[in-house]
């Protein structure tokens, strides 16, 4: 039968698709690491690591913590805009837990958990949680494109091809236009989808999809007030400046004289590379992007490799540990999963 079901899990075609995606991710990760390994001398990498000024890791850690504090505050702002009275403290454990799960599980599974399971523990409707995460991703993408455009404009034609510098600027401008078009027309689209859903059988799958999309757009509308947008974009810039501080501290630690604008470009380029399918933890594309960015800034291949390894450890290890600890100390955030299992059993 085409619709064969595995009693222990989801439909077999869906499981096969997941396996194919995971296999593709691993292939890309291995290929990226192989490219770096082929181009570097590992004795030189060890020498570069030995020359690194390790006190700069403390600066990087403080900057990373400040950036994630801004991210948690931004999520709380978006949820409050939908009428949910949450505090920054309530949002901390679910947010950090989802980041840790994203770091160790494929396909950004942590975002799915934050959208479907964690909201129940802090009294957030699922529609509001899903809308806030989609909004968060759109804002992050736009902020990163802006950072990349600013960094590319600073580097100029001396170090970047014209097509790359101009492409980054065009993507940033286009992203701003698309983002504001979505926010501007979200209310109208929500009303249109609700009217269409009202003409269809309420139990039909297509009707449920239309209703879910309408609720998502209503959430966008609630989060698109002028005051909320200013706060969200302001906190986003502070969050990514905090992460850029990590990359700047590592640049200085390796003796590469570069301003914060250079670190901003490196951070944006490396973070956007994690959109490429890879193994859990973004191994491979992250390292290759960091390697390419540092060589563009004049670093040797050995320094670029050392930088890529340290940068990945610096943004992966602390967030994974913090998220794991948050879940351990706040087991109540899984209350939504318990409620779901109880409802299924009933």
């Amino acid at each position: 039968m085409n619709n064969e079901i595995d009693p222990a899990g989801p439909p077999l075609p869906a499981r096969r698709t997941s396996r194919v995606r995971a296999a593709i991710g691993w292939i890309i990760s291995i290929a990226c690491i192989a490219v770096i390994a082929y181009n570097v001398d590992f004795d030189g990498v060890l020498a570069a690591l030995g020359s690194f000024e390790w006190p700069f890791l403390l600066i990087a850690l403080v900057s990373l913590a400040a950036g994630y504090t801004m991210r948690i505050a931004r999520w709380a702002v978006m949820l409050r805009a939908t009428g949910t009275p949450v505090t920054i403290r309530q949002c901390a454990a679910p947010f950090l837990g989802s980041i840790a799960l994203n770091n160790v599980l494929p396909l950004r599974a942590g975002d799915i958990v934050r959208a479907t399971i964690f909201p129940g523990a802090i009294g957030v409707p699922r529609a509001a949680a899903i809308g806030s995460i989609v909004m968060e991703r759109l804002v992050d993408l736009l902020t990163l494109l802006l950072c990349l455009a600013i960094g590319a404009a600073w580097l100029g034609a001396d170090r970047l091809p014209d097509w790359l510098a101009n492409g980054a600027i065009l993507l940033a401008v286009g992203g701003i236009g698309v983002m504001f078009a979505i926010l501007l027309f979200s209310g109208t689209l929500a009303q249109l989808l609700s009217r269409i859903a009202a003409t269809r059988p309420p139990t039909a799958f297509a009707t449920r999809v239309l209703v879910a999309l309408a609720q998502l757009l209503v959430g966008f509308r609630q989060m698109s007030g002028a005051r909320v947008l200013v706060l969200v974009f302001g906190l986003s810039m502070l969050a990514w400046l905090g992460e850029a501080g990590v990359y700047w501290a590592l640049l200085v630690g390796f003796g590469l004289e570069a301003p914060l604008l250079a670190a901003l470009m490196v951070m944006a380029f490396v973070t956007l590379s994690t959109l490429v399918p890879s193994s859990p933890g973004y191994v491979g594309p992250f390292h290759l992007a960091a390697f390419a960015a540092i060589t563009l800034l004049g670093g040797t291949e050995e320094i670029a490799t050392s930088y890529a390894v340290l940068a990945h450890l610096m943004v992966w290890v602390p967030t994974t540990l913090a998220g794991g600890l948050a879940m351990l100390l706040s087991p109540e955030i899984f209350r939504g999963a318990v409620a779901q299992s109880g409802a299924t059993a009933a």
Side-chain angles (χ1 to χ4, degrees):
M1 290 177 62
N2 292 333
N3 295 326
E4 183 180 1
I5 301 295
D6 181 357
L12 289 180
R15 296 177 66 187
R16 291 192 191 103
T17 300
S18 297
R19 288 173 186 152
V20 169
R21 289 177 181 173
I24 292 172
W26 277 103
I27 290 169
I28 291 174
S29 291
I30 293 169
C32 290
I33 296 299
V35 168
I36 297 174
Y38 180 78
N39 286 282
V40 301
D41 170 37
F42 286 98
D43 289 335
V45 171
L46 292 175
L49 284 171
S51 67
F52 180 77
E53 298 182 38
W54 296 100
F56 281 98
L57 285 185
L58 181 59
I59 297 174
L61 185 61
V62 171
S63 189
L64 184 71
Y68 272 87
T69 300
M70 295 300 104
R71 283 180 169 85
I72 297 168
R74 180 185 61 179
W75 191 40
V77 167
M78 288 191 289
L79 291 176
R80 284 200 291 261
T82 66
T84 306
V86 294
T87 64
I88 294 175
R89 183 174 181 178
Q90 285 177 306
C91 292
F95 186 91
L96 292 173
S98 72
I99 297 299
L101 293 174
N102 276 342
N103 286 348
V104 298
L105 297 177
L107 304 176
R108 295 188 181 271
D111 287 345
I112 297 173
V113 174
R114 178 153 60 108
T116 59
I117 294 175
F118 290 167
I122 56 176
V124 175
R126 282 190 185 175
I130 294 170
S132 68
I133 293 172
V134 174
M135 178 82 160
E136 184 180 276
R137 291 291 172 252
L138 289 173
V139 171
D140 278 341
L141 180 60
L142 178 56
T143 307
L144 286 169
L145 289 173
L146 284 171
C147 291
L148 186 62
I150 292 169
W154 171 78
L155 280 176
D158 293 339
R159 297 187 183 181
L160 291 179
D162 287 339
W163 66 267
L164 183 55
N166 294 334
I169 295 170
L170 286 174
L171 281 173
V173 173
I176 292 172
V178 171
M179 179 72 179
F180 280 99
I182 291 173
L183 295 177
L184 184 63
F185 297 106
S186 57
T188 303
L189 287 173
Q191 291 177 359
L192 178 62
L193 292 175
S194 296
R195 290 196 191 107
I196 295 173
T199 64
R200 303 178 63 86
T203 58
F205 175 75
T207 305
R208 295 199 298 270
V209 171
L210 289 171
V211 170
L213 287 174
Q215 291 175 339
L216 181 65
L217 290 169
V218 167
F220 279 174
R221 181 63 179 168
Q222 292 170 325
M223 291 182 279
S224 61
R227 180 177 174 276
V228 175
L229 281 181
V230 169
L231 273 173
V232 166
F233 276 100
L235 289 168
S236 295
M237 286 304 302
L238 290 174
W240 288 109
L241 281 173
E243 189 138 340
V246 176
Y247 292 85
W248 175 82
L250 296 181
L251 283 171
V252 177
F254 277 111
L256 297 172
E257 296 183 5
L260 185 60
L261 284 177
L264 208 62
M265 191 213 69
V266 174
M267 179 269 300
F269 188 57
V270 170
T271 305
L272 288 170
S273 76
T274 63
L275 297 175
V276 176
S278 66
S279 62
Y282 321 117
V283 174
F286 183 107
H287 297 80
L288 186 57
F291 178 87
I294 298 306
T295 52
L296 275 175
L297 292 175
T300 65
E301 292 174 340
E302 288 70 31
I303 287 179
T305 303
S306 303
Y307 184 96
V309 172
L310 272 188
H312 184 258
L313 290 174
M314 202 59 229
V315 300
W316 188 88
V317 173
T319 55
T320 303
L321 290 177
L325 184 62
M327 290 187 288
L328 184 64
L329 295 178
S330 305
E332 68 274 6
I333 63 176
F334 290 98
R335 190 168 56 206
V338 175
Q340 282 182 16
S341 62
T344 302

